[in-house]
Amino acid sequence: MAAALYHPEAGYYARGIRQVGRGGDFFTSVSVGPLLGGLLARRFVREWSEAGKPARWRIVECGAHDGTLAADVLAELGRLSAAAFRALEYAIPEPLPVLRQAQGETLRPFADCVRHLADVNELAADPLPGIAFGNEVLDALPCHLIEWRDGQWCERSVALDEADGFTWRLMAINDPRLRAALEPLGSAFPEGYRSEARTGYHDFLAPLARSLSSGLMLWLDYGFERPEYYHPARREGTLRTFARHRAGDDPLRCPGELDITAHVDFTAVAEAAEALGWQQSALRSQGAWLTETARDWLLEMEGKPQAAALRQFKTLTHPAQLGRAFQALELRR
Ligand SMILES: C[S@@+](CC[C@H](N)C(=O)[O-])C[C@H]1O[C@@H](n2cnc3c(N)ncnc32)[C@H](O)[C@@H]1O
């Protein structure tokens, strides 16, 4: 999964920037329109204000893709508070050159406050109060595929066979990190039960935690808490591929040409954060979280509704659209 998505030349995300949106492979909440960024900006300014309006603060956006969400956040943030905007460094860690270039172009109007980084570790030397966040990033972190056989977990790993190409191979689990990640799952699974597990949440969060002296992490994504994720009835796990808005379940078909994703185990993320000194402060549906975040905006609109923005709000919050499948996880230190 790591190679299929992130190989610097052949990986799915390294090959272009057209994956997100109508002409691409999948939609995200960012494709709905600028409202998500606008509401995030409101929340971020409130954080800055409640932190005592520090003279320097930082927003770190992960998985910024072509920079659209960053532009939406920054445009609204500038409108809401010139002081917060002046004090802000908006950092975008992005190892893939093709995406760094796209972000640079989209964010040219905000060049004074945007800092492009190849590696998020560069921020650790100068931690600031602020926020680290991402939309649909955790689900794109590589995962292990696991299968319950004869009373224990095995790993479904990928072998390269000269005649058949990539094939599946069931292996004993030797990786101690994977063993540790599977321990809390228990042992009440039907034979052949398949799922996924990530061992990378800690390594993903650790440099972000070092980049912030205090503040908030916010992850918007699809996923479950552990008991629901590993419910015995979810026998085939959540791994999916996407191409041209069609979901598939065979990640070995055309690697590098398909998006590969698996749901997020929010319990595992919160535990990884806790080990870094951060605490979960909220886990709510995106619908509930955005409705709360939008309260001032909704009140300001009373009597003068903005039809286009309200349509976006409904798409982002309605349970039958993006409101219930997506969750907002807040972590705090
Ligand atoms: C599904 S896309 C979401 C793009 C965008 N946030 C949106 O909502 O439209 C996932 C993005 O996460 C990025 N990503 C994956 N692992 C990452 C990591 N360790 N650090 C930063 N970005 C990462 C990918 O390169 C990709 O751009």
Side-chain angles (χ1 to χ4, degrees):
M1 185 168 173
L5 294 182
Y6 305 113
H7 183 280
E9 283 137 40
Y12 174 77
Y13 281 110
R15 286 163 50 127
I17 57 162
R18 311 223 173 276
Q19 298 101 340
V20 186
R22 199 173 295 281
D25 294 323
F26 54 87
F27 288 114
T28 69
S29 296
V30 179
S31 341
V32 172
L35 185 70
L36 176 68
L39 294 177
L40 290 173
R42 283 179 179 257
R43 175 61 202 271
F44 297 165
V45 169
R46 207 163 75 216
E47 283 289 318
W48 173 74
S49 213
E50 285 169 6
K53 305 190 174 177
R56 289 178 67 216
W57 66 304
R58 169 180 290 148
I59 295 174
V60 189
E61 184 187 345
C62 298
H65 197 63
D66 64 357
T68 302
L69 181 58
D72 295 340
V73 169
L74 285 164
E76 183 65 6
L77 209 145
R79 269 195 293 273
L80 291 168
S81 167
F85 190 84
R86 267 196 309 276
L88 174 67
E89 173 186 282
Y90 197 103
I92 303 183
E94 180 55 71
L96 297 174
V98 62
L99 293 184
R100 252 199 332 270
Q101 187 184 341
Q103 290 156 9
E105 283 164 22
T106 310
L107 296 168
R108 201 164 289 143
F110 306 103
D112 288 348
C113 72
V114 175
R115 180 167 168 194
H116 298 276
L117 310 153
D119 182 352
V120 67
N121 284 295
E122 290 171 44
L123 298 171
D126 176 29
L128 291 177
I131 293 132
F133 83 105
N135 184 59
E136 286 200 42
V137 178
L138 301 180
D139 69 275
L141 299 179
C143 61
H144 295 269
L145 298 185
I146 53 174
E147 188 168 315
W148 187 258
R149 284 282 162 199
D150 300 325
Q152 60 179 346
W153 290 112
C154 298
E155 180 166 15
R156 297 177 69 214
S157 62
V158 180
L160 183 54
D161 180 281
E162 281 204 11
D164 301 329
F166 291 116
T167 57
W168 295 111
R169 194 164 54 181
L170 212 54
M171 309 252 297
I173 294 176
N174 296 316
D175 177 350
R177 286 182 27 137
L178 183 54
R179 277 179 182 278
L182 299 180
E183 215 152 86
L185 307 191
S187 56
F189 296 96
E191 183 72 3
Y193 180 94
R194 288 178 173 175
S195 192
E196 315 84 28
R198 287 191 176 87
T199 51
Y201 291 130
H202 181 277
D203 289 356
F204 174 76
L205 294 175
L208 295 168
R210 283 195 294 272
S211 77
L212 299 176
S213 53
S214 63
L216 175 74
M217 291 202 208
L218 170 66
W219 305 108
L220 300 173
D221 222 314
Y222 36 83
F224 311 108
E225 290 182 273
R226 184 173 289 139
E228 194 183 347
Y229 200 124
Y230 297 101
H231 193 282
R234 197 183 307 286
R235 296 182 67 111
E236 295 296 330
T238 70
L239 188 94
R240 297 283 176 276
T241 62
F242 280 94
R244 305 260 155 238
H245 300 280
R246 279 231 193 97
D249 59 7
D250 180 6
L252 301 189
R253 190 175 67 82
C254 311
E257 289 173 29
L258 307 166
D259 186 27
I260 308 174
T261 161
H263 281 42
V264 176
D265 173 355
F266 289 111
T267 308
V269 181
E271 286 170 357
E274 210 163 285
L276 293 162
W278 290 65
Q279 303 299 327
Q280 176 176 318
S281 50
L283 176 61
R284 312 177 67 185
S285 70
Q286 173 167 295
W289 189 87
L290 277 178
T291 303
E292 167 68 25
T293 304
R295 187 192 295 219
D296 294 349
W297 176 72
L298 290 166
L299 287 172
E300 280 164 27
M301 244 188 329
E302 259 189 294
K304 43 181 169 70
Q306 304 164 19
L310 281 171
R311 264 199 306 277
Q312 292 174 38
F313 185 69
K314 186 171 161 228
T315 306
L316 293 171
T317 56
H318 194 285
Q321 298 190 45
L322 303 177
R324 186 158 52 207
F326 284 80
Q327 311 291 314
L329 172 66
E330 282 190 14
L331 306 163
R332 205 165 254 301
R333 179 173 63 189

